Every structure is written in C-alpha cells, then in structure tokens.
Amino acid sequence: EVQLVESGGGLVQPGGSLRLSCAASGFIFSSYWMHWVRQVPGKGLVWVSRIKSDGSGAIHADSVKGRFTISRDNAKNTLYLQMNSLRAEDTAVYYCAKADASWYDYWGQGTLVTVSS
Amino acid sequence: SYELTQPPSVSVSPGQTASITCSGDKLGDKYVCWYQQKPGQSPVVVIYQDTKRPSGIPERFSGSNSGNTATLTISGTQAMDEADYYCQAWDSSTYVFGTGTKVTVL
C-alpha cells in the first residue's frame, strides 16, 4: 500500500524556517518524480515544487523561488521541503504528491504550516 | 504566468449531468487532469491525460480537452459527488491548478 506521510509543520514566526518531510512507502520511491502542493484552508490548490526521480531538475513556483528548496533522499525514501524567510502568506496545508507521468496518483494527508507572530 | 479559470460553483440535481469547464491559453496543447476534494480530505484524481479514468473511478466521470477549454463531465450525478473539483495542466515545467469549482448536488 502506497503511503505518503508528511511531518514538520507547525507554528513559526515571520522570517523563520521550517523543514517539511514526506516519508514514502509502498512503492519504489527512487523511480518517481515528487511534488509539493499547498492549500490555504478554504482556498484552492497551489503547486509549489517538483523534483525528478534522481534528485535533479528541482523547480519552484515563482512565489517561493529563492526561499524554498525541494530535495530528496532516495536511500531514506524521503522528500523534503526546506522553507526559509517564511511569510504570513505561506500559511497553508502542505501536501506531498507522487507523480505518475502527468498526474498525481497519491497524496499525503498534509501538514499545516502557520506563519504568525 | 499561466492561469486556469474555472466557474466558482456548479449546481446539479441528482441524476442529472454536471459540466465543469477549465479555461486556459492553448490548453488543448497540454495534458489536463482533474481532482476531486471533499472537506477535510486530500485530493483524488478522477481524470488524467485529458480523458483517462483511474481504476476505481466511476464511469460517470469523463473528460475532454480542446482549444482553450477542458471539461469534466459527471453524468448521473450522485450525492457523493458533491465536492470541490480542480483542473490541473501539465507540461515540462507547468503545473498549474485551476481556481476550483464547488459542485453542489441539490
């Protein structure tokens, strides 16, 4: 059974940092591109970042470029999102998602990040 | 930046057909998928690569994509289909979600 379990969310002050993790199981993690998607409670889905299966080709949405970094450790079957210089507008539920070609076939349950003083 | 526009809401009677549009520049040149999200849950794909249904998704869900518009159609809508629906466009570096549509089954 495929499982994606996010962790690392919480309350952080503006300007602070957090690192989100997504532990993957039930599939060959090193074979799939992975993404982060966020959602402000009550609002829509927003794509954040993508990384290719071998750890190359990391790209980020313009809204987080230069502040967020996606990475992965295929030996640990774990996806990461390092978030620096956090702003109030980064407050959201962050989902990791497994990509199967041009769609997400599995999503995690999400982890809430709250940026507030 | 690339944008996808959906109607904020669609209302449908049980058993009737609901159509949700997703508009974007030359959208027909990209792959589109559709996600269903119920309150408090993670999204679930209902259509991928414009027209394909994943296993386990009922046949009443179908999709099309041409020109500047993709459409998700729910035929014989059931109460359990009440949810938010999001389109998403994919190409080599575009992973944009639509604005979302709330489907209400009255």
Side-chain angles (χ1 to χ4, degrees):
Chain A
E1 179 194 4
V2 171
Q3 284 197 320
L4 297 171
V5 180
E6 300 97 336
S7 61
L11 176 64
V12 61
Q13 292 188 340
S17 298
L18 275 180
R19 188 176 81 157
L20 305 183
S21 299
C22 171
S25 61
F27 65 102
I28 302 173
F29 180 70
S30 59
S31 296
Y32 293 91
W33 294 20
M34 297 292 295
H35 294 238
W36 287 99
V37 175
R38 70 184 182 184
Q39 184 174 37
V40 174
K43 302 296 185 182
L45 300 169
V46 177
W47 174 79
V48 175
S49 303
R50 174 216 81 193
I51 190 166
K52 296 183 178 181
S53 55
D54 63 357
S56 67
I59 59 172
H60 303 82
D62 288 344
S63 58
V64 306
K65 201 172 294 183
R67 300 187 299 121
F68 289 14
T69 303
I70 187 173
S71 63
R72 64 193 296 161
D73 185 334
N74 285 343
K76 295 183 177 180
N77 290 343
T78 303
L79 176 72
Y80 301 102
L81 185 67
Q82 177 67 44
M83 304 186 296
N84 299 329
S85 302
L86 282 160
R87 307 167 180 168
E89 55 264 36
D90 296 318
T91 294
V93 173
Y94 285 74
Y95 296 98
C96 66
K98 171 182 173 287
D100 186 333
S102 62
W103 51 298
Y104 300 135
D105 56 351
Y106 291 95
W107 297 66
Q109 85 288 350
T111 186
L112 177 62
V113 172
T114 303
V115 184
S116 175
S117 54
Chain B
S1 62
Y2 196 76
E3 295 181 354
L4 294 175
T5 302
Q6 299 178 233
S9 62
V10 167
S11 297
V12 59
S13 300
Q16 299 304 301
T17 296
S19 294
I20 306 165
T21 57
C22 173
S23 299
D25 184 49
K26 297 179 181 178
L27 186 57
D29 293 342
K30 304 179 188 297
Y31 274 134
V32 172
C33 52
W34 291 88
Y35 298 93
Q36 176 194 71
Q37 187 180 33
K38 296 182 178 179
Q41 298 183 16
S42 301
V44 173
V45 63
V46 294
I47 293 290
Y48 68 99
Q49 291 182 353
D50 297 340
T51 61
K52 298 178 181 178
R53 255 181 310 105
S55 61
I57 300 300
E59 290 184 10
R60 62 180 180 273
F61 289 90
S62 63
S64 64
N65 183 22
S66 180
N68 295 321
T69 303
T71 303
L72 174 68
T73 302
I74 312 173
S75 304
T77 306
Q78 300 183 9
M80 68 174 65
D81 300 329
E82 188 163 285
D84 294 326
Y85 291 83
Y86 297 90
C87 60
Q88 185 188 25
W90 284 67
D91 65 18
S92 60
S93 59
T94 300
Y95 303 98
V96 178
F97 287 95
T99 49
T101 299
K102 181 175 182 59
V103 171
T104 301
V105 183
L106 298 172

